[in-house]
Amino acid sequence: NNNQPVIAANNGAGVTVNPNNCNINLEENDLCPAACEAGITFCYTDYTVTGNEVWTTTTSHPGCGVTADVFVQGTIRIPVNSSLLIESGVTVHFGEEGRIVLESGDNANEVGGRLDVNGATLTNAGTCRWIGIDVWGNQDFSQFPVGNSRAGYLRVRNNALIENAAEAVRLWKPGDLSRSGGIIRAANWPFRSNWCSAEFMSYQNFFPFGSNP
């Protein structure tokens, strides 16, 4: 049946989801039956990054201890003036309500949240897709200087992988067009088996120091 979505499992095999048991309305964030998370121990439900955090294979996580496999059930929120670096060897597994949100700033003292996926893998937990990464921007402000502006900033490098998400990256705050203009810098096409890999909404960048060069 061509109407059946196929999810790539962690071993690379295809897992067919019964469409009668899987609601793919992304705005409701109700992607699959709860049974897809059965037996999984999550390190985090909702978590807010503070300061500049680094996750490596030797990082200790609440509920899981030291592990290279991190399980997230809810939202990892990266607020302004904060950053998260996920290093090579780490795999972050997200449940059906799992997502990452990079918030954007509103004034000169606020730098947008930053996420650097350096050779790590972001994937699903169990057999359901996770939601994806929301990178907020701000229509009222420039994206310059890149990586140090009010816009959220996502960097994906060194063979990092984002897979099995509903919408891997959305460069705006869903439902709020004033928060479009989030930034992504990605190398070697790091997306696999997502329903949608990247979503861009209308945003016009501008030079913030007088006339455009």
Side-chain angles (χ1 to χ4, degrees):
N1 185 339
N2 292 332
N3 293 321
Q4 291 181 321
V6 175
I7 297 175
N10 293 337
N11 63 4
V15 178
T16 300
V17 178
N18 185 340
N20 296 321
N21 294 327
C22 186
N23 181 350
I24 61 173
N25 185 331
L26 303 183
E27 294 307 314
E28 293 182 4
N29 299 330
D30 183 15
L31 305 183
C32 291
C36 70
E37 295 178 0
I40 297 174
T41 299
F42 288 94
C43 311
Y44 299 95
T45 50
D46 293 324
Y47 177 72
T48 299
V49 171
T50 57
N52 301 313
E53 296 191 20
V54 180
W55 290 1
T56 71
T57 56
T58 60
T59 299
S60 181
H61 301 274
C64 294
V66 176
T67 179
D69 288 285
V70 183
F71 289 82
V72 178
Q73 190 172 38
T75 298
I76 296 176
R77 190 170 301 275
I78 307 177
V80 297
N81 302 327
S82 300
S83 67
L84 175 61
L85 168 62
I86 307 177
E87 292 281 24
S88 178
V90 175
T91 299
V92 185
H93 307 261
F94 292 89
E96 64 169 332
E97 297 292 332
R99 72 166 80 196
I100 302 177
V101 173
L102 283 64
E103 297 183 349
S104 56
D106 289 309
N107 62 61
N109 297 319
E110 294 182 338
V111 174
R114 288 158 291 166
L115 173 63
D116 186 348
V117 187
N118 182 24
T121 296
L122 308 182
T123 188
N124 58 323
T127 56
C128 285
R129 293 185 184 274
W130 58 295
I131 295 172
I133 305 171
D134 293 340
V135 187
W136 298 359
N138 191 320
Q139 284 274 7
D140 294 332
F141 297 102
S142 171
Q143 293 177 331
F144 296 117
V146 174
N148 199 38
S149 71
R150 294 174 181 85
Y153 178 73
L154 169 63
R155 187 177 185 189
V156 188
R157 57 191 172 117
N158 292 332
N159 297 312
L161 180 63
I162 302 173
E163 65 176 5
N164 299 337
E167 292 195 73
V169 178
R170 295 187 284 196
L171 297 171
W172 67 302
K173 179 181 179 181
D176 185 356
L177 289 174
S178 72
R179 294 289 174 177
S180 62
I183 300 171
I184 180 173
R185 180 182 177 188
N188 302 322
W189 192 250
F191 304 110
R192 183 174 69 187
S193 297
N194 303 294
W195 275 332
C196 176
S197 291
E199 182 179 66
F200 301 77
M201 303 302 282
S202 177
Y203 170 81
Q204 178 62 59
N205 198 15
F206 57 93
F207 193 62
F209 309 112
S211 60
N212 291 338

